[in-house]
Amino acid sequence: LPAVLAPTTVPMGGLPPPPAPRRRSVSLSLGPGDGPGVWGWGTRTVELLLSLLILYLCWLVVIGMKSRGVALLLAVTMFLAAVWMHPWCLFLFSSRTYTMQGVVGMEGFEVDAFTMADHHRYFFFQSMSTVGALLLLVVHGPGPLSADEQDGPLEFASEKTVA
């Protein structure tokens, strides 16, 4: 019989054992060989292309080429990535325990929901500080040494010009 239909033994005068928790994993399958826990060629290719694109955009910001638009694109991308990867508010009011991953020295430890929320909150707001720096670059511009603004900063219609 399958494990689901197999009879469970109940100890004398006791309750049956609780069912095993079900784990749900969501993964992106991009080709044969891809699946949960398997890094196939499709996933590697997409990650490589995204990494190269982000490095190229960062290099454009460093040299000051199209830096306002690129900084805005990077800020939006980083904000969406932070919301997706560190959903700290979803852990706050939970009563479950979670397995800690990605923290040196705590790999595999079971922690309560508040500790997990605190962990994700730290990384979320760390990302938000970088988003804020990129938005400052959008508002104030890259400076006089950039490739875009060799003739000086942009002037907006709302600013008064002194003759």
Side-chain angles (χ1 to χ4, degrees), residues 8-126:
T8 59
T9 58
V10 179
M12 291 287 284
L15 297 173
R22 294 180 183 227
R23 304 255 177 179
R24 186 177 72 149
S25 83
V26 178
S27 65
L28 177 64
S29 179
L30 297 172
D34 285 352
V38 178
W39 295 94
W41 66 270
T43 306
R44 288 188 194 129
T45 305
V46 169
E47 284 184 351
L48 177 68
L49 292 175
L50 286 175
S51 297
L52 290 175
L53 175 68
I54 289 174
L55 282 173
Y56 175 70
L57 293 175
C58 289
W59 180 247
L60 287 178
V61 168
V62 167
I63 64 173
M65 189 68 129
K66 306 287 183 203
S67 55
R68 288 179 191 256
V70 170
L72 182 62
L73 179 66
L74 285 172
V76 168
T77 303
M78 191 159 205
F79 173 76
L80 293 175
V83 168
W84 177 259
M85 292 172 55
H86 305 293
W88 60 273
C89 54
L90 297 179
F91 295 103
L92 273 180
F93 303 107
S94 175
S95 59
R96 291 182 45 201
T97 59
Y98 297 92
T99 303
M100 198 59 113
Q101 295 181 5
V103 179
V104 175
M106 291 190 73
E107 289 284 337
F109 279 99
E110 290 286 325
V111 296
D112 62 335
F114 181 79
T115 304
M116 194 66 163
D118 196 36
H119 167 75
H120 280 286
R121 184 176 29 230
Y122 173 79
F123 288 112
F124 177 81
F125 284 109
Q126 187 177 24

